[in-house]
Amino acid sequence: MQDTSLNSTPVKYNKPIIYFLLLWALLNAVQAFTLEIHADEAYYWVYSRFLDWGYYDHPPMVAVFIKAGYSLIHNEFGVRLFTVISTTASLYLMWMMLKRYKVDAINFILVISGIFVFHIYGFTTTPDAPLLFFTVLFLYFYQQYIEKDSLKLAMILGVVIACLLYSKYHGILLVAFTLVSNIKLLKRGSFYGIVLLALALYAPHIIWQAKHGFPSLSYHLSERSNEQYNFEYTYVYPLGQLLMAGPLIGWLLFYKGFTAKVQDTFTRALLVNAIGILAFFFLTSFKGEVQLHWTLIAYVPLAMMVLIRFTQPGAKPKWFNRLAVINIVMIVILRVALIIAFPPLLKVDAMRSFFGFKDWAHLIHEKAGDNFVIFNEGFQNPSKYNFYNNTTRGFDYDARYYRRTQYDIWPIEDSIQHKRVYVVNNTFPDRAISTDSMKIYAGTWYGGWVDDVRTYQKIDFQVESYKEILAPGQKKDFDLTFKNPYPFPISFTNTNQKHKAFLEACFFKGINQVGMQQSDDRFNRISLKTGETGHFKFNVTAPMQPGKYELIFSIRTEPFPGGRNNKIINITVK
């Protein structure tokens, strides 16, 4: 009988893996060093400048990764340093788990390097980078915990699960499906110790969410799922997953992985997680758009099941190696083309963000100097401006047409009140503001100065109910409750103010505003001290056309378009 212990594999057997991991790390390091910061990475870099237990969009582990790397190297490579290291470590740990199943080293290299989504998160630092690492780490220690119920392993798993959840909320799926695959865990006393330790370590994030009104839950479970369903979301999902698994070999990986036989408790966990996570997001596509990379954690167990299946006689097609090599070459060519800025790639929106914004950021800084700069097209561009100028003076004005972001929580807005600021947008020149234009290959931006700025993005109106059924034209009183979150008194008065303030009720269908009503001047008589609570009763008239609408209350101060000052209120007119 063959020895299946971890120590039975000859050193020679590890050599191809070591060479592969070195090449993997080198390619990712080159890409991390040569490419400009991506918009999302820049946003998470700003996270790292305001370290906290939570953020509007995500938990804080990505900020920790960036903080650790950037403290060593102050450029794009520093932002991505721990992603390059952790991804390489993840692949090595996957190999360590698979060795006992006598997986072939060449098969491992061909399958792992052929999975496209692993390449994406081999060098870019988003919440998915730590999520991938702690997913593999969880499975690594879970494999040992199955065989040995020890306090040490239980404590390690408790810490790893907390880190998994601190990386991205999707991590809970891995834990849940693992439990589904092995319900006998409920009979282990140490299992409850794992749960309690993970919850204790995760408590600071829960407290942060509670303190800020659970913004992440509201955004991910309510606002994102409020978008109108489009059948394209569902049929594009499986096609996108085939691409993520590998443009040429993805279909085979799904087939071989899903039809692999369960050999033990661990392989059952792998199979249940691979199928369960992919199925979960497929069902989610019926509520709204599912971004292709959300399924990243499913590809770890899927790849491992495929490789275990390939150890069985006749399971691997004879032509697989040739197809896999072509698949890898295609991916590597794409990555090299990105490194050398191959012109056709620059026409793709997802690629364009990697190029030209360093000069753009410096150009705007030349015009704005050390003054604050307000951008009105989302969190991406102010974040890139902040990164390349090593500052936090770039601010995202979250208009009513967009969504809320972490910029609505950070203290940056506090500092711009009644200051002279430079305002930038890339939609159209505003006659009241724009005096400058800045053109790069990615587009044209317009800029100009605004004196004595006043904004109220942090004001959050609370209402009794976020779902209402109204008749066409029916009037409805909304009792708006809000408090002053700023460290200074605020007043909505327009007396002796350079820029007037208005409270407006805006009805939306999708991204289009289809109606707007302005409150009377009673709103402008409200003044609040720091932490003081205010009330305003707004009489709103429902649209005449039956249908489903979203109602947003927006404080608009000239010359800006108005912010988003409440969670979405769903209105059904019938």
Side-chain angles (χ1 to χ4, degrees), residues 463-534:
V463 297
E464 292 182 357
S465 173
Y466 290 88
K467 287 186 178 182
E468 298 285 348
I469 299 176
L470 304 174
Q474 179 182 342
K475 294 185 178 298
K476 166 71 179 178
D477 280 333
F478 286 89
D479 188 4
L480 307 181
T481 302
F482 55 101
K483 75 174 184 178
N484 175 12
Y486 298 97
F488 46 78
I490 60 172
S491 173
F492 300 115
T493 183
N494 288 329
T495 304
N496 299 322
Q497 294 289 331
K498 182 177 180 65
H499 302 292
K500 292 184 178 181
F502 308 90
L503 175 60
E504 296 169 342
C506 309
F507 285 96
F508 283 84
K509 268 186 170 293
I511 61 173
N512 299 313
Q513 181 178 312
V514 294
M516 185 274 287
Q517 299 158 38
Q518 198 171 100
S519 73
D520 54 46
D521 62 4
R522 290 180 299 115
F523 176 73
N524 301 106
R525 302 171 198 164
I526 297 174
S527 297
L528 298 175
K529 298 176 182 178
T530 298
E532 185 178 0
T533 298

Side-chain angles (χ1 to χ4, degrees), residues 400-509:
R400 63 181 68 163
Y401 313 99
Y402 186 54
R403 69 168 179 88
R404 288 183 162 185
T405 70
Q406 184 64 27
Y407 280 95
D408 297 318
I409 297 176
W410 283 323
I412 302 174
E413 188 194 14
D414 304 354
S415 302
I416 68 175
Q417 301 307 311
H418 302 290
K419 298 279 181 65
R420 185 172 190 253
V421 304
Y422 194 72
V423 178
V424 176
N425 78 80
N426 72 338
T427 49
F428 54 86
D430 188 326
R431 292 181 181 178
I433 302 174
S434 303
T435 56
D436 304 321
S437 64
M438 295 150 281
K439 189 169 185 179
I440 64 172
Y441 77 91
T444 302
W445 276 261
Y446 306 94
W449 292 95
V450 175
D451 295 322
D452 195 24
V453 162
R454 66 193 290 214
T455 61
Y456 300 99
Q457 279 193 202
K458 288 186 179 180
I459 296 296
D460 185 18
F461 294 120
Q462 306 288 322
V463 297
E464 292 182 357
S465 173
Y466 290 88
K467 287 186 178 182
E468 298 285 348
I469 299 176
L470 304 174
Q474 179 182 342
K475 294 185 178 298
K476 166 71 179 178
D477 280 333
F478 286 89
D479 188 4
L480 307 181
T481 302
F482 55 101
K483 75 174 184 178
N484 175 12
Y486 298 97
F488 46 78
I490 60 172
S491 173
F492 300 115
T493 183
N494 288 329
T495 304
N496 299 322
Q497 294 289 331
K498 182 177 180 65
H499 302 292
K500 292 184 178 181
F502 308 90
L503 175 60
E504 296 169 342
C506 309
F507 285 96
F508 283 84
K509 268 186 170 293

Side-chain angles (χ1 to χ4, degrees), residues 74 208 311 452:
H74 304 309
W208 184 93
T311 63
D452 195 24

Side-chain angles (χ1 to χ4, degrees), residues 16 43 45 52 78 81 122 149 159 197 213 226 244 322 339 344 347 385 452 460 508 517-518 524 527 572:
Y43 184 41
W45 175 85
D52 210 338
L81 176 62
D149 183 1
V159 173
L197 178 58
N226 259 328
M244 291 293 100
R322 292 191 296 274
I339 291 172
K347 297 179 181 179
Y385 174 84
D452 195 24
D460 185 18
F508 283 84
Q517 299 158 38
Q518 198 171 100
N524 301 106
S527 297
T572 301

